[in-house]
């Protein structure tokens, strides 16, 4: 909200230079976002937090500045003057839930014109446009007291005034010239023929005050904050008036605003007050009582506010108070402050005016129960995940962070896998939660491949979101991605093994499986539980994302992995040397390496490791055949193996291998 | 077989004597020791032999192989008299290194500082409900205070706790922990949060926050200041200061926004040594806003069935992107999620 310093001066003399004032206001919680000079005036732009509806008025801001400057400002509430009743026009409120009180004044014989320069400049300096003398006066009074007013051209009104809900498809043109179709969410002001205002939001074009207006009907009312909020949202409009009603206007100054506007219209635009009409009940604000002990204040803040200082602060904020027992006070908050309800509200008021900077910093001793179960050491998933991420960085993978939202059909519209849908997405590209970390990996790798990078190695630790028959779930997952050529698959497989080894998972297996979006896939299992998968992205998906290299991808369920992750135990290292033997094999495509591995594992006693030491290509290797040399390591934990011993089971294995159809020993 | 071996050895020695260059030696190695060599051919005959013969010839062939290899090694050593020197001025080869992402490492660093002060680290879920994201935090339905928290809603069947949504802040973690555990509590909770903000240099629909809170019988505002000052000095540097400005949050009372003295101009603003030049990071203000905090509103404690007469707490929340941007001088939030190698590699942590 913008306020003019000259406007403030109507209530309170402020002699401080604007820079100093801005700093003081900011440090007391009224954040000044900027200030500038305008003629003889200074304009301050402040942030009004949702609890301080009273700062939407100059009166409220003046009260606050008074407190900050340590001055006393008493704004007296007005007396209801005896005034003639308006008999020709009644006001009928359909529901007092929507509108508790409506006050109308009839002023006749006005002359519309430019009006007073002083009022014009105050209104403009507070960020509103100057329209004409009458509208400027209603705005001036709204700014001053916080109660929005509206002036209708009385000659355009037909019959009584109704405060009612709009009917479905009722039509409305606001003074902003925009046409709107209303429904029962909208509260309107109507006469017996037509809608004349969107209540508390904006007036209608059909009853607008213009140059030829002679007679005025001046509205002041209390509308329900929620009704106005829903109505203006439905109508897609936000005005100075609705902004105030939504944050609740005080009935305290309502009469003031209406009376002052009437007086100013008479003075500036001429005319006579013909009568007053009222409907509903002006809401009675029951004065609240808050018991405060200075001791309570001190233990809450950690600083002792001197008693005299305390009294000065609450008095300057407009509290009334009674001293009770020693250090005990009964406080009556100012009526126009709805936000002061309990002790803590007073603690805040006192501390911010006293100054947060006067509260000394202290380091607490944080007590914790010995059997605190906030974090169960064994299931500390945060620690598990962040240490795993550190490990992957050591393995040479770069961590990425990609968006959790993706297009629902990004991986293809006929996919059976669809993410949880977002009801109000910003764009189609981000209209669902991802069920896999795949798209984030593809996009991050793709971004770099398009920038002449290659052979990339990324990982991400993030949540995935699943929606299945059991309902929805959210799981921590690890994604590994490598871009490059065919054999990168095995590097990725090796990385997966490293991760399993890191987590001390002793027993696991890879199972060949057809996975969606992958052409060659493996499921990773441990004791029958699926831990994740890895695979080569199929060509369809590679094309869909225009990737310049093949992508190898693995994903692991970290909740499951953390669960089965074992403790590290030392395993004795054999003091006896390892012996190795090579076998060169040519394997037809229809035979899988797994068969070779199974034979070797079954036949070779003392087997500790087997590695591929080379793949061969050339004229001598037939088509559809993979030729390679396998190096088998033998080692015993209790003796040195002799060459003869090893040769026995090694040759036995060779023998068995040579029996496999489609396998040739070379 | 023995004869064949003899011939093989002779041929080898002759060829070896004639070989002059390194390339010739390499060819020789393939010819006599390679996969298709005569020696390999002999090896392949072994499995067909009977037991005794097999082990005898096995050893014999291995011995020959060793001899040939040794002779070849020796020969290469002597021809390498004119060993080519390395042109060490060639550029280095690429060395691949892994790294943590700057956001996760920043978040981790922050969490570990609080852990040292006695906080437990607990992660919450990103799919939340209205009860935990709003109501329990004293943000009532359709109240203007909700306007500050635009939220993505999810198409999931509603249960007792209102509509499902993507949490718009990490504060629901606070509620979850307080509902499940009895005080005393001291918890720090990092994670992703979501708001429907159109992406630009300073906005993103996904970002990271860290929430922290402590609840006990003697907690006070002065301790909140102490804990945060301690964090700021540990994270930025020992000479930074904090400024607490009163503010409003529905879930704390009193509430404050916290500024750190500018880490670039050391809080000097425009009065830098280079006289009159305005600091571009803090825009000459000398202060940078880094977090929001306050004493937990008694209504929030009550919503978690904690006796607000007996217990009090403080809470704070900060945006990880903002802090990383300030600390490392990053001017566009989109860089964090693009994962450009040239960006990632600058923070090989």
């Amino acid at each position: 909200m913008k306020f003019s310093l000259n406007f403030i001066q109507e209530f309170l003399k402020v002699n401080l230079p604007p820079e100093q004032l801005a700093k003081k206001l900011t440090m007391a919680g009224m954040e000044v976002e900027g200030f500038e000079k305008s003629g003889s005036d200074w304009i301050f732009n402040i942030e009004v937090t949702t609890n301080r509806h009273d700062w939407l008025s100059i009166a409220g801001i003046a009260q606050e500045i008074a407190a900050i400057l340590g001055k006393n400002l008493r704004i007296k509430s007005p007396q209801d003057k005896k005034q003639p009743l308006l008999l020709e026009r009644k006001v009928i409120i359909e529901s007092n839930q929507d509108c508790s009180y409506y006050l109308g004044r009839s002023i006749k014989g006005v002359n519309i014109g430019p009006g007073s320069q002083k009022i014009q400049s105050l209104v403009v300096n507070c960020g509103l446009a100057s329209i004409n003398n009458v509208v400027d006066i209603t705005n001036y009074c709204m700014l001053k007291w916080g109660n929005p007013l509206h002036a209708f051209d009385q000659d355009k009104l037909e019959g009584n005034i109704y405060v009612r809900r709009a009917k479905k498809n009722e039509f409305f043109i606001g003074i902003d010239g925009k046409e709107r179709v209303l429904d029962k969410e909208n509260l309107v002001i109507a006469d017996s023929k037509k809608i004349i205002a969107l209540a508390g939001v904006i007036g209608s074009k059909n009853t607008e005050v213009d140059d030829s207006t002679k007679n005025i009907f001046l509205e002041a009312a209390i509308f329900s904050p929620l009704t106005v909020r829903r109505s203006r949202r439905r109508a897609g409009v936000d005005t100075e008036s609705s902004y105030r009603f939504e944050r609740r206007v005080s009935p305290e100054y309502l009469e003031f605003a209406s009376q002052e506007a009437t007086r100013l219209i008479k003075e500036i635009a001429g005319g006579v007050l013909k009568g007053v009409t009222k409907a509903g009940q002006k809401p009675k604000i029951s004065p609240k009582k808050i018991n405060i002990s200075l001791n309570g204040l001190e233990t809450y803040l950690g600083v002792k506010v001197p008693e005299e200082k305390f009294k000065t602060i609450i008095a300057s904020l407009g509290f009334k108070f009674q001293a009770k027992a020693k250090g005990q006070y009964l406080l009556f908050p100012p009526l126009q402050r709805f936000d002061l309800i309990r002790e803590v509200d007073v603690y805040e008021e006192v501390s911010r005016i006293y100054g947060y900077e006067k509260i000394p910093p202290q380091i607490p001793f944080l007590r914790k129960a010995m059997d605190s179960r906030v974090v169960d050491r064994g299931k500390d998933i945060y620690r598990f995940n962040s240490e795993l991420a550190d490990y992957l960085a050591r393995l040479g993978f770069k961590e990425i962070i990609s968006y959790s939202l993706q297009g629902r059909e990004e991986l293809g519209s006929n996919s059976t896998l669809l993410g949880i849908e977002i009801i109000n997405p910003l764009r189609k590209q981000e209209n669902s939660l991802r069920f896999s970390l795949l798209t984030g990996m593809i996009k991050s790798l793709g971004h770099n491949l398009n920038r002449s990078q290659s052979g990339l190695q990324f990982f991400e630790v993030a949540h995935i979101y699943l929606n299945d028959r059991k309902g929805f779930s959210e799981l921590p997952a690890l994604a590994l991605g490598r871009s490059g050529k065919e054999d990168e698959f095995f590097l990725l497989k090796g990385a997966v093994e490293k991760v399993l080894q890191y987590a001390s998972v002793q027993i696991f297996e890879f199972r060949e499986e057809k996975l969606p979006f992958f052409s060659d896939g493996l499921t990773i299992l441990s004791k029958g539980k699926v831990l994740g998968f890895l695979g080569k992205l199929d060509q369809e998906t590679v094309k869909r994302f225009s990737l310049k290299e093949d992508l190898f991808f693995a994903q692991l369920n970290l909740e499951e992995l953390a669960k089965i992750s074992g403790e590290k135990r030392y395993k004795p290292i054999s003091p006896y040397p390892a012996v190795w033997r090579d076998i060169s094999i040519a394997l037809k495509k229809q035979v899988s390496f797994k068969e070779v591995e199974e034979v070797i594992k079954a036949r070779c006693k003392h087997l500790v490791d087997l590695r591929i030491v080379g793949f061969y290509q050339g004229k001598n290797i037939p088509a559809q055949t993979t030729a390679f040399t396998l190096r088998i390591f033998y080692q015993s934990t209790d003796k040195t193996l002799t060459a003869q011993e090893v040769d026995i089971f090694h040759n036995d294995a060779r023998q068995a291998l040579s029996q496999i159809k489609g396998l040739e020993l070379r | 077989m023995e004869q064949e071996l003899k011939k093989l050895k002779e041929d080898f020695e002759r060829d070896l004597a004639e070989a002059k260059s390194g390339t010739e030696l390499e060819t020789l190695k393939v010819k006599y020791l390679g996969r298709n060599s005569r020696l390999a051919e002999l090896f392949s005959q072994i499995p067909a032999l009977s037991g005794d013969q097999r082990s005898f010839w096995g050893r014999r062939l291995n011995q020959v192989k060793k001899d040939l290899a040794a002779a070849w090694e020796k020969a290469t050593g002597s021809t390498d008299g004119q060993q080519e020197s390395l042109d060490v001025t060639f550029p280095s080869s690429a060395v691949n290194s892994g790294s943590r992402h700057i956001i996760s490492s920043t978040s981790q660093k922050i969490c570990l500082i609080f852990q040292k002060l006695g906080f437990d680290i607990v992660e919450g879920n990103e799919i939340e409900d209205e009860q935990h994201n709003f109501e329990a935090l004293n943000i009532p339905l359709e109240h203007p205070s909700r306007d500050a928290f635009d939220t993505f809603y999810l198409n999931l069947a509603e249960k007792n706790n209102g509509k499902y949504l993507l949490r718009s802040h990490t504060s629901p973690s606070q509620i979850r922990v307080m509902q499940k555990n009895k005080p005393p509590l001291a918890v720090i909770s990092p994670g992703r949060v979501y708001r429907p903000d159109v992406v630009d240099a300073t906005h993103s629909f996904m970002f990271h926050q860290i929430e922290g809170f402590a609840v006990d019988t003697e907690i006070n505002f002065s301790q909140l200041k102490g804990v945060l000052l301690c964090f700021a000095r540990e994270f930025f540097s020992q000479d930074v200061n904090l400024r607490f400005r009163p503010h409003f949050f529905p879930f704390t009372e009193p509430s404050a926004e916290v500024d750190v003295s500018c880490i670039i101009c050391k809080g000097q603003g425009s009065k830098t040594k280079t006289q009159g030049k305005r600091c571009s990071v803090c825009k000459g203000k000398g202060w940078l806003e880094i977090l929001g905090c306050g004493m937990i509103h008694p209504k929030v404690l009550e919503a978690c069935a904690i006796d607000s007469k007996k217990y009090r707490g403080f809470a704070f929340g900060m945006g990880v992107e903002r802090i990383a941007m300030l600390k490392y001088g990053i001017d566009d939030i989109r860089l964090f999620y693009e994962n450009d190698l040239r960006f990632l590699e600058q923070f090989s942590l």
Side-chain angles (χ1 to χ4, degrees):
Chain A
M1 150 132 187
K2 278 185 179 169
F3 75 79
S4 130
L5 194 57
N6 282 350
F7 210 158
I8 297 293
Q9 312 272 11
E10 291 193 5
F11 289 101
L12 185 75
K13 275 272 144 296
V14 182
N15 300 320
L16 231 50
E19 304 79 37
Q20 278 186 40
L21 181 63
K23 194 167 178 222
K24 273 188 186 282
L25 297 187
T26 297
M27 292 314 291
M30 182 185 275
E31 189 177 348
V32 176
E33 288 167 343
F35 58 92
E36 54 175 341
K37 199 167 166 57
S38 168
S40 67
D41 203 357
W42 282 91
I43 302 169
F44 286 72
N45 194 5
I46 58 163
E47 185 194 348
V48 177
T49 50
T50 51
N51 58 329
R52 297 304 298 266
H53 76 97
D54 58 312
W55 288 354
L56 294 170
S57 68
I58 297 297
I61 296 171
Q63 182 78 63
E64 182 71 25
I65 295 177
I68 293 168
L69 301 183
K71 295 184 177 180
N72 260 321
L73 172 65
R74 286 265 173 248
I75 299 169
K76 286 197 197 77
S77 294
Q79 302 295 312
D80 275 2
K81 278 193 224 153
K82 272 260 177 269
Q83 282 172 333
L85 285 180
L86 185 69
L87 301 170
E88 63 196 71
R89 203 177 301 285
K90 278 202 289 192
V91 175
I92 297 109
I93 298 173
E94 190 182 70
S95 158
N96 57 12
Q97 300 286 321
D98 287 336
C99 173
S100 51
Y101 185 60
Y102 193 104
L103 173 68
R105 283 190 155 83
S106 167
I107 305 152
K108 293 205 167 166
V110 301
N111 283 306
I112 303 300
S116 121
Q117 272 240 297
K118 189 192 125 202
I119 288 180
Q120 253 182 35
S121 72
L122 291 182
V123 165
V124 168
N125 286 350
C126 290
L128 274 62
S130 168
I131 310 289
N132 57 43
N133 49 8
V134 169
V135 174
D136 288 357
I137 288 166
T138 59
N139 282 335
Y140 167 86
C141 289
M142 171 183 77
L143 290 166
K144 189 166 177 178
W145 302 110
N147 290 84
L149 303 173
H150 186 67
F152 296 99
D153 184 332
Q154 201 165 178
D155 297 321
K156 296 172 188 161
L157 299 181
E158 299 161 278
N160 289 330
I161 303 286
Y162 299 87
V163 183
R164 63 163 172 88
R165 291 297 181 108
K167 297 182 191 83
K168 199 169 168 55
N169 295 329
E170 253 185 305
F171 199 65
F172 172 79
I173 302 177
I175 53 171
D176 58 359
K178 287 200 182 113
E179 299 177 5
R180 294 180 180 88
V181 179
L182 307 179
D183 67 18
K184 59 181 191 319
E185 279 276 272
N186 298 107
L187 184 71
V188 298
I189 311 298
D191 62 19
S192 43
K193 296 265 172 64
K194 59 189 182 292
I195 295 178
I196 57 172
L198 197 54
V201 184
I202 192 168
S204 169
K205 195 90 193 157
N206 57 19
T207 48
E208 190 182 9
V209 171
D210 59 29
D211 292 350
S212 58
T213 300
K214 286 284 161 226
N215 303 314
I216 299 285
F217 185 78
L218 182 70
E219 168 195 285
I222 307 280
F223 297 116
S224 142
L226 192 56
T227 308
V228 171
R229 180 175 168 84
R230 286 180 178 162
S231 170
R232 71 106 184 135
R233 283 191 146 198
R234 181 59 61 101
V237 57
D238 196 358
T239 61
E240 291 285 337
S241 167
S242 66
Y243 196 81
R244 285 173 173 78
F245 279 117
E246 253 187 83
R247 281 156 181 76
R248 220 172 132 185
V249 299
S250 166
E252 260 315 276
Y253 295 144
L254 184 84
E255 191 63 44
F256 246 0
S258 180
Q259 276 180 31
E260 184 163 7
T262 309
R263 181 176 58 80
L264 287 170
I265 289 171
K266 285 197 290 188
E267 276 175 29
I268 294 164
V272 246
L273 173 69
K274 283 293 177 191
V276 180
T277 178
K278 293 175 186 177
Q281 282 291 321
K282 196 161 106 177
K284 277 258 178 304
I285 309 173
S286 47
K288 285 183 207 73
K289 294 176 191 166
I290 306 173
N291 278 301
I292 289 292
S293 90
L294 289 175
N295 192 36
L297 178 69
E298 184 184 342
T299 52
Y300 207 79
L301 298 180
V303 72
K304 193 179 178 72
V305 179
E307 190 156 358
E308 281 312 307
K309 189 81 197 161
F310 168 79
K311 288 200 289 196
T312 318
I313 291 171
I314 54 170
S316 68
L317 283 164
F319 282 89
K320 295 193 176 77
F321 61 91
Q322 295 166 6
K324 295 282 180 186
K326 192 175 165 6
Q328 306 282 324
Y329 287 85
L330 179 60
L331 267 53
F332 305 93
L335 293 175
Q336 60 279 9
R337 290 286 301 273
F338 305 136
D339 58 321
L340 304 176
I341 298 158
R342 7 195 337 170
E343 289 112 302
V344 287
D345 301 319
V346 177
Y347 295 163
E348 175 167 81
E349 290 301 291
V350 174
S351 57
R352 69 184 181 86
I353 301 294
Y354 183 62
Y356 280 2
E357 75 280 359
K358 295 204 185 84
I359 302 173
Q362 281 178 57
I363 299 290
F365 168 68
L366 296 173
R367 283 196 309 151
K368 259 183 287 181
M370 283 303 285
D371 58 351
S372 165
R373 299 185 57 85
V374 175
V375 179
D376 190 333
R377 275 280 155 253
K379 293 183 205 121
D380 188 347
I381 188 83
Y382 175 82
R383 188 162 146 192
F384 181 82
N385 290 354
S386 47
E387 287 178 359
L388 177 63
D390 286 341
Y391 177 70
L392 283 157
R394 293 201 293 276
L395 275 187
F397 283 78
K398 286 194 169 62
E399 186 180 22
I400 58 165
I401 290 181
S402 66
Y403 293 126
S404 321
L405 309 187
Q406 66 183 28
R408 203 160 148 81
E409 295 180 352
E410 204 157 14
L411 283 163
S413 54
N414 48 4
S415 165
T416 50
L417 294 164
L418 288 173
I420 296 168
E421 202 180 344
I422 288 168
I423 294 170
N424 55 333
L426 285 170
R427 306 191 301 167
K428 212 174 151 215
Q429 293 96 304
E430 292 111 16
N431 63 2
S432 75
L433 291 180
R434 57 180 172 183
F435 52 83
S436 147
L437 301 179
L438 180 61
T439 45
M441 185 62 74
I442 293 176
K443 286 181 209 164
S444 302
L445 286 168
H447 172 91
N448 288 294
L449 293 175
N450 288 341
R451 280 156 187 80
S452 315
Q453 307 281 3
S454 69
L456 301 161
Q457 192 161 247
F458 285 167
F459 79 97
E460 180 169 22
V461 174
H463 289 188
I464 53 172
Y465 319 85
L466 308 173
N467 198 7
D468 51 36
R469 272 159 274 117
K470 287 175 284 174
F472 70 88
S473 56
E474 182 179 338
L475 294 168
L478 163 70
L480 297 176
R482 274 193 72 103
S483 76
K485 292 185 206 67
E486 191 84 9
D487 52 353
E488 305 281 338
F489 181 92
F490 300 100
L491 280 166
L492 190 70
K493 192 178 176 185
V496 169
E497 282 170 357
K498 277 280 187 195
V499 168
L500 295 170
Q501 199 181 17
Y502 166 83
S504 307
V505 177
Q506 310 288 352
I507 299 162
F508 62 87
E509 59 167 317
F510 293 108
R511 188 180 292 164
E512 274 181 278
E513 200 152 335
K514 176 76 197 95
L515 301 165
F517 319 117
F518 294 94
S519 53
D520 301 289
L522 286 175
T523 303
I524 308 155
L525 298 111
S526 177
K527 297 181 184 166
K529 272 239 183 303
V530 176
L531 294 182
F533 63 88
L534 72 150
K536 179 187 173 191
L537 200 65
D538 64 22
Q539 286 312 301
E540 191 193 330
T541 316
V542 167
K543 280 207 197 85
R544 178 185 289 277
F545 289 92
S546 315
L547 286 177
K548 293 193 171 136
E549 278 184 11
D550 275 334
L551 168 62
F552 303 91
F553 179 82
Q555 185 176 295
L556 287 160
N557 176 343
L558 290 182
E559 194 172 274
E560 209 58 61
L561 189 64
K563 221 183 277 173
I564 62 166
S565 164
E567 287 291 323
K568 300 231 181 291
R569 299 283 304 168
Y570 166 69
K571 267 188 255 140
I573 300 160
S574 172
Y576 308 102
V579 183
W580 54 263
R581 293 282 182 274
D582 284 354
I583 302 184
S584 288
I585 293 173
L587 206 58
K588 288 237 160 19
K589 275 275 191 269
Q590 65 265 28
V591 191
S592 79
F593 179 80
K594 201 172 179 180
E595 288 182 53
V596 177
E597 193 181 2
E598 276 165 8
V599 167
I600 292 168
K601 280 189 172 159
R603 305 279 172 146
C604 299
K605 247 175 92 186
H606 302 303
L607 170 83
V608 285
D609 196 7
L610 52 133
R611 288 179 213 159
I612 304 273
V613 290
F615 282 99
Y616 306 103
Q617 279 165 333
K619 279 183 253 114
N620 301 334
I621 313 293
Q624 298 296 302
T625 304
T626 314
F628 57 91
T629 298
L630 192 61
R631 183 161 294 173
I632 304 171
F633 292 82
Y634 302 92
Q635 192 174 28
S636 161
T637 50
D638 46 37
K639 62 172 182 174
T640 302
L641 294 176
T642 63
Q644 286 88 337
E645 275 177 289
V646 172
D647 282 339
I648 292 168
F649 31 81
H650 185 72
N651 289 328
D652 186 31
R654 284 187 69 102
Q655 189 63 37
L657 287 174
S658 67
Q659 303 301 312
I660 297 175
K661 202 163 172 277
L663 182 148
E664 197 189 319
L665 293 177
R666 299 174 62 243
Chain B
M1 206 179 252
E2 186 58 49
Q3 257 189 354
E4 230 173 301
L5 269 182
K6 200 177 162 212
K7 173 93 171 52
L8 181 82
K9 271 168 121 178
E10 283 167 14
D11 288 351
F12 175 75
E13 275 155 21
R14 191 189 60 242
D15 283 355
L16 193 63
E18 283 170 7
K20 287 181 185 72
S21 67
T23 6
E24 278 175 13
L25 277 170
E26 281 305 320
T27 327
L28 203 67
K29 188 183 184 185
V30 175
K31 186 174 169 191
Y32 288 97
L33 291 160
R35 162 176 310 286
N36 296 314
S37 62
R38 281 148 68 193
L39 192 61
E41 166 68 20
L42 291 175
F43 266 109
S44 72
Q45 293 171 16
I46 291 183
L49 300 174
S50 62
D52 271 5
Q53 288 278 307
R54 208 188 315 180
S55 62
F56 171 79
W57 282 108
R59 268 171 300 169
R60 179 84 181 98
L61 288 179
N62 272 323
Q63 187 55 50
V64 172
K65 190 177 179 180
K66 248 188 211 165
D67 293 347
L68 295 192
W72 185 83
E73 288 292 342
K74 213 175 149 196
T76 45
S78 62
T79 53
D80 277 358
Q82 73 277 28
Q83 195 176 29
E84 285 166 46
S85 68
L86 206 53
D87 182 352
V88 291
T89 63
F90 265 92
S92 56
S93 305
V95 175
N96 182 44
S97 66
S99 58
R100 293 298 304 274
H101 191 282
I102 187 64
I103 288 298
S104 28
S105 69
T106 302
S107 171
Q108 195 171 328
K109 242 181 235 162
I110 294 171
C111 288
L112 294 181
I113 293 172
F114 285 103
Q115 197 178 40
K116 270 193 252 171
L117 289 169
F119 289 77
D120 287 324
I121 309 174
V122 180
E123 281 177 299
N125 276 346
E126 293 157 27
I127 298 181
E128 265 298 354
D129 52 49
E130 288 184 302
Q131 170 65 27
H132 290 87
N133 198 64
F134 293 125
E135 268 106 69
L137 287 158
N138 193 27
I139 311 170
L141 185 69
E142 299 201 69
H143 189 269
S145 60
R146 256 197 211 192
D147 291 353
F149 299 91
D150 269 348
T151 308
F152 283 120
Y153 283 88
L154 301 174
N155 190 11
L156 291 169
E158 204 173 315
K159 290 216 182 105
N160 304 330
N161 289 326
K163 296 190 190 104
Y164 283 108
L165 44 82
L166 280 175
R167 63 175 177 188
S168 46
H169 48 175
T170 39
S171 303
S173 288
Q174 191 192 122
I175 302 299
R176 297 264 171 204
V177 172
M178 291 201 297
Q179 284 176 340
K180 238 179 100 185
N181 304 274
K182 288 200 169 64
L185 292 168
V187 166
I188 189 102
S189 185
R192 296 184 180 206
V193 300
Y194 304 85
R195 288 182 198 176
D197 281 334
V198 175
V199 175
D200 63 23
T202 52
H203 294 87
S204 172
F205 56 81
M206 178 186 98
F207 55 102
H208 296 71
Q209 276 191 343
I210 294 175
E211 174 89 5
F213 71 97
V215 179
D216 202 347
T217 51
E218 309 283 315
I219 296 289
N220 63 38
F221 197 90
S222 139
Q223 295 169 348
L224 169 63
K225 286 186 75 172
V227 163
L228 292 176
L229 184 61
C230 185
F231 151 72
R233 292 194 168 161
E234 183 85 22
F235 184 80
F236 293 108
S237 74
Q238 205 49 44
D239 55 3
V240 302
N241 264 311
L242 291 183
R243 182 173 86 164
F244 287 69
R245 270 183 295 108
H247 196 70
F248 169 73
F249 301 112
F251 30 81
T252 48
E253 188 86 27
S255 307
E257 276 185 339
V258 182
D259 306 327
V260 63
S261 52
C262 180
I263 49 179
I264 304 302
C265 66
K266 303 285 173 209
Q268 291 298 299
S270 49
K271 306 182 292 268
T272 48
K273 283 179 197 133
T274 46
Q275 278 299 308
K277 253 214 159 174
R278 212 172 76 137
C279 172
S280 64
V281 174
C282 64
K283 312 249 171 352
K285 287 180 187 155
W287 296 98
L288 298 162
E289 187 187 327
I290 54 160
L291 57 88
C293 68
M295 294 294 287
I296 299 175
H297 199 292
K299 278 192 190 170
V300 175
L301 296 174
E302 288 154 17
C304 300
I306 292 175
D307 183 355
S308 67
K309 289 238 157 31
K310 185 172 173 200
Y311 289 104
R312 294 167 321 199
F314 63 66
F316 54 86
M318 61 186 105
V320 182
E321 277 80 353
R322 178 165 172 80
I323 288 177
M325 286 167 95
L326 291 177
K327 185 161 166 133
Y328 300 101
I330 299 163
D331 58 3
D332 192 327
I333 197 168
R334 288 169 291 202
L335 287 165
F336 293 123
Y337 321 109
E338 212 172 59
N339 300 308
D340 192 302
L341 211 56
R342 294 163 295 179
F343 177 77
L344 298 178
E345 278 182 334
Q346 292 184 34
F347 307 102
S348 286
L349 302 166

